[in-house]
Amino acid sequence: MSTTIEQVCCACYRKGITFSKTTASKFVGGRNRLEQLVAQGKIRMERKSMAQNAKWQCNAGDVRCYTKEQ
């Protein structure tokens, strides 16, 4: 049985999985591309707290939908 990208994305959405900004940028092909996708509203990104140095968390389902092949 083969798992598709859509199934992986759905599982990530259901479980509420997030990636750090660094990990997400590795999946999508770089920090610039990640920032472009976030600016276009294709990848949701949020801070868990309002502290200045709080880490950004990217929605894993969104990131997996825009993963680049290597």
Side-chain angles (χ1 to χ4, degrees):
M1 186 170 159
S2 178
T3 305
T4 65
I5 287 290
E6 291 83 19
Q7 291 171 328
V8 172
C9 293
C10 288
C12 290
Y13 290 136
R14 280 195 306 267
K15 299 208 182 251
I17 299 171
T18 59
F19 291 139
S20 68
K21 189 174 183 179
T22 305
T23 303
S25 66
K26 290 177 185 176
F27 278 116
V28 298
R31 187 171 177 169
N32 284 339
R33 184 158 192 265
L34 175 63
E35 290 175 359
Q36 288 173 352
L37 291 168
V38 170
Q40 293 170 359
K42 294 180 178 179
I43 293 180
R44 291 171 281 176
M45 199 177 213
E46 65 181 49
R47 280 186 171 182
K48 293 296 180 184
S49 70
M50 294 307 295
Q52 183 178 0
N53 62 346
K55 292 187 178 190
W56 286 93
Q57 297 295 313
C58 303
N59 185 295
D62 295 343
V63 171
R64 296 303 291 170
C65 288
Y66 293 98
T67 298
K68 278 202 150 198
E69 297 288 327
Q70 291 197 16

